[in-house]
């Protein structure tokens, strides 16, 4: 099984690459095959970014707050 190199990218790196792909596709200067390959890469990057954002959102929501709105504790993320 081959690992997708995109999974090694940080969120910021993945987003930057996704923006590059969008710009490349918008120019219309790529061949059909290149465009399809770029589109597929873009879809993988989009999914990766969405998953990382969902994880971050979930982690933030786990912060417990007291009545004054101050963080008092955190719970470990249950990554099931």
């Amino acid at each position: 099984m081959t690992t997708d190199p995109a999974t090694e990218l940080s969120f910021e790196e993945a987003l930057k690459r996704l923006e590059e792909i969008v710009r490349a596709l918008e120019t219309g200067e790529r061949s059909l095959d290149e465009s399809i390959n770029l589109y597929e890469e873009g879809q993988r990057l989009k999914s990766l970014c969405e998953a990382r954002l969902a994880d971050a959102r979930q982690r933030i929501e786990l912060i417990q707050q007291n009545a004054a709105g101050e963080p008092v504790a955190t719970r470990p993320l249950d990554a099931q």
Side-chain angles (χ1 to χ4, degrees):
M1 183 174 174
T2 318
T3 305
D4 184 357
T7 59
E8 302 296 320
L9 298 175
S10 69
F11 173 81
E12 292 79 9
E13 291 168 331
L15 187 58
K16 182 179 178 184
R17 176 63 184 144
L18 183 55
E19 290 170 346
E20 291 169 357
I21 289 170
V22 169
R23 281 192 297 276
L25 290 173
E26 286 178 341
T27 66
E29 295 175 359
R30 304 292 177 121
S31 70
L32 179 59
D33 286 339
E34 282 180 301
S35 294
I36 290 170
N37 289 335
L38 285 171
Y39 181 83
E40 289 171 343
E41 181 184 357
Q43 286 293 352
R44 288 190 302 274
L45 290 166
K46 177 182 172 283
S47 295
L48 176 71
C49 288
E50 287 174 341
R52 292 205 177 144
L53 284 173
D55 179 57
R57 184 178 305 114
Q58 192 175 35
R59 292 173 68 191
I60 290 169
E61 289 172 357
L62 292 177
I63 296 173
Q64 304 280 323
Q65 295 182 346
N66 64 17
E70 301 167 327
V72 293
T74 59
R75 295 182 298 174
L77 175 65
D78 182 14
Q80 289 183 356

